[in-house]
Amino acid sequence: MGLNLNPFTWWNGATFGTWMGLRGKARVGEDNLGNVYYEGGQDPNGIPRRWVIYSGSNDASRVPPEWFSWLHHQIDSAPDQALPAPKSWEIPAEPNLTGSQLAYRPSGALEKGGHRARATGDYEAWTPGA
């Protein structure tokens, strides 16, 4: 189609209205997925407002835990300043893969043939009054 739908659709990223609303707001940082974080203004309780502009589809599971903490005012400054460096054994956060080709599907799932192994002898059905 060739038409840029970004000004009209919110599910593909920030709309034109969102970008206009971010004028004058401070860019705080960017995560390893390319999401950009902003802060500026205050809500009626005096708490600073914070935003994330997603790189790609708008999916809240694509916000890493350290930036989630910042967005929800659990830490005051950007994660690279407020949190210790990641440990060598930590694995990077992954977005929710449900509904994608990479989603977990157990052996009995319809996508894997719908057949599962028969129960062994370790299961005993519950019977009322037994």
Side-chain angles (χ1 to χ4, degrees):
M1 183 160 150
L3 178 66
N4 183 5
L5 295 177
N6 196 23
F8 310 108
T9 59
W10 56 266
W11 55 87
N12 292 328
T15 62
F16 180 73
T18 303
W19 286 113
M20 294 303 291
L22 289 175
R23 287 181 305 160
K25 309 301 189 256
R27 179 182 167 146
V28 176
E30 184 174 336
D31 64 21
N32 57 350
L33 297 174
N35 300 328
V36 182
Y37 300 88
Y38 292 89
E39 183 176 43
Q42 294 182 344
D43 71 0
N45 296 321
I47 299 172
R49 292 188 184 263
R50 295 175 174 173
W51 294 269
V52 58
I53 302 300
Y54 297 101
S55 170
S57 64
N58 292 342
D59 180 8
S61 73
R62 295 183 63 233
V63 174
E66 59 273 9
W67 282 102
F68 178 90
S69 298
W70 179 81
L71 280 171
H72 293 270
H73 300 281
Q74 296 171 348
I75 57 176
D76 291 328
S77 56
D80 55 348
Q81 300 165 357
L83 299 175
K87 305 290 185 203
S88 61
W89 45 264
E90 291 184 55
I91 59 173
E94 289 185 3
N96 185 350
L97 300 175
T98 301
S100 73
Q101 292 295 327
L102 300 175
Y104 170 72
R105 291 177 177 83
S107 59
L110 293 176
E111 293 88 354
K112 287 206 170 184
H115 301 290
R116 63 180 179 87
R118 297 205 37 92
T120 60
D122 62 352
Y123 174 77
E124 181 180 329
W126 176 78
T127 307

